[in-house]
Amino acid sequence: MTTPLIFIDGDQGTTGLQIHQRLHGRTDLTLVTLPAEQRKDPKHRAEAINACDIAILCLPDEAARAAVASLHNPAVRVIDASSAHRTQADWTYGFAELNRQQAQRIASARRVSNPGCYPTGAIGLLQPLLAAGLVPRDYPISIHAVSGYSGGGRAVVDAHEGDNASAAAAFQVYGLGLAHKHVPEIQQHSGLSERPVFVPAYGAFRQGIVLTIALQLRLLAPGVDAARLHACLAQHYASTAYVKVDSREAAKNLERLDPQMMNGSDHLRLMVFENEGQVLLAAVFDNLGKGAAGAAVQNLDLMLV
């Protein structure tokens, strides 16, 4: 019996390299990549993508759209790690823990769009609470997040690791036009009826994310408190392998959150903090793990079953 052919298009980028490392040496699949002289050749890329069983696209958005447009073999299945298809109805959203049916949807899908790094944390916190009716869909959500600089792509990585690394900013907030490309993805897949405010930032560390969402209990339905919010998240993720919700007691004992605490793992760690009518929802994870390559491999494994 032949093993499935897995083609990584864009295996030299940050996410592609991580996926390649995770799949290298596996005997249940055959990994296909292009040699350096063929990586940017449309003909060779089209031939490779149409000859594989599952293609993993680790490309800029426009290049990912072009790769999909080059497909003429209906048997090829695709995992797209770019943001090109994350809000399209004919693509299955690759967050397996979104609901009880999502893992099976991914397993049988022809087209899977891998979640963005920031949306993984935001949707992971919000979707269960909105679905349960504990947070109104029109709540004025504000999301603050800090990522390692590897989330910024090659230019940002070069700024921190290249010849002029000493001049790189230690911390910088961006997306000040409040139009970050992840906002539609967060709104759609969390179930918000209104556009959330999203304020991202980069720190001078390579990888890791801490993302927080503050809630005022007075704006929620009567009887909704931190305990109910926590119980909802804990129940939603109770049987999942990659999402863990800290106990309320564990959260009380935390005095600070290190965005790098989950680095090297594919786990999403969620927490609920509380004080005098205010709640802080928090997510910590590796932007190259559950936020990118780890999620892609998780989706691939579902599709290979």
Side-chain angles (χ1 to χ4, degrees):
M1 182 177 179
T2 59
T3 58
L5 297 178
I6 312 300
F7 170 51
I8 304 177
D9 194 354
D11 63 305
Q12 295 304 300
T14 304
T15 298
L17 280 170
Q18 288 271 330
I19 294 173
H20 190 281
Q21 291 169 2
R22 290 161 188 260
L23 299 181
H24 182 71
R26 283 182 49 166
T27 59
D28 61 328
L29 53 83
T30 300
L31 197 57
V32 179
T33 58
L34 290 175
E37 65 273 13
Q38 296 179 4
R39 286 182 193 133
K40 295 185 178 180
D41 186 314
K43 178 183 177 182
H44 286 100
R45 290 174 61 205
E47 289 174 350
I49 198 172
N50 281 284
C52 72
D53 293 296
I54 300 178
I56 305 178
L57 308 181
C58 303
L59 304 165
D61 288 3
E62 286 305 314
R65 294 187 186 99
V68 173
S70 73
L71 269 170
H72 55 75
N73 181 353
V76 177
R77 304 167 75 189
V78 179
I79 298 172
D80 182 10
S82 82
S83 61
H85 302 100
R86 291 176 184 158
T87 58
Q88 293 195 6
D90 54 344
W91 283 69
T92 299
Y93 194 58
F95 187 18
E97 298 83 6
L98 188 68
N99 52 52
R100 292 182 180 179
Q101 297 78 37
Q102 200 66 12
Q104 184 54 49
R105 291 192 184 107
I106 294 167
S108 59
R110 311 303 302 176
R111 302 285 183 267
V112 174
S113 184
N114 221 48
C117 54
Y118 291 126
T120 294
I123 294 165
L125 289 167
L126 290 171
Q127 195 279 338
L129 303 180
L130 270 65
L134 298 181
V135 175
R137 295 190 181 275
D138 63 351
Y139 190 98
I141 292 290
S142 292
I143 303 162
H144 296 259
V146 182
S147 172
Y149 59 77
S150 60
R154 188 179 301 276
V156 178
V157 171
D158 287 347
H160 284 270
E161 297 182 356
D163 294 338
N164 296 317
S166 61
F171 182 85
Q172 51 190 323
V173 176
Y174 66 106
L176 301 181
L178 303 182
H180 193 283
K181 68 178 182 178
H182 285 330
V183 170
E185 178 184 353
I186 293 171
Q187 180 179 349
Q188 177 173 313
H189 294 294
S190 66
L192 289 166
S193 63
E194 306 296 326
R195 186 165 60 94
V197 173
F198 175 48
V199 184
Y202 290 132
F205 53 94
R206 194 171 203 281
Q207 61 200 82
I209 286 179
V210 60
L211 179 146
T212 58
I213 303 171
L215 299 175
Q216 299 284 350
L217 293 181
R218 61 184 173 79
L219 300 180
L220 305 183
V224 176
D225 57 12
R228 288 188 63 186
L229 296 172
H230 178 272
C232 177
L233 291 173
Q235 180 179 14
H236 183 92
Y237 295 112
S239 61
T240 65
Y242 294 104
V243 183
K244 302 299 179 186
V245 181
D246 278 21
S247 69
R248 295 177 68 202
E249 187 63 31
K252 286 180 181 178
N253 291 329
L254 284 172
E255 295 184 355
R256 58 186 60 84
L257 290 178
D258 180 355
Q260 302 176 87
M261 68 169 60
M262 301 304 292
N263 282 2
S265 84
D266 292 334
H267 289 83
L268 172 63
R269 182 176 172 185
L270 306 181
M271 288 143 280
V272 178
F273 303 96
E274 58 185 292
N275 184 50
E276 296 184 357
Q278 298 176 330
V279 166
L280 186 68
L281 308 175
V284 183
F285 55 106
D286 187 342
N287 60 292
L288 299 181
K290 184 60 172 170
V297 173
Q298 181 186 358
N299 290 328
L300 175 64
D301 287 338
L302 288 170
M303 296 167 74
L304 288 175
V305 173

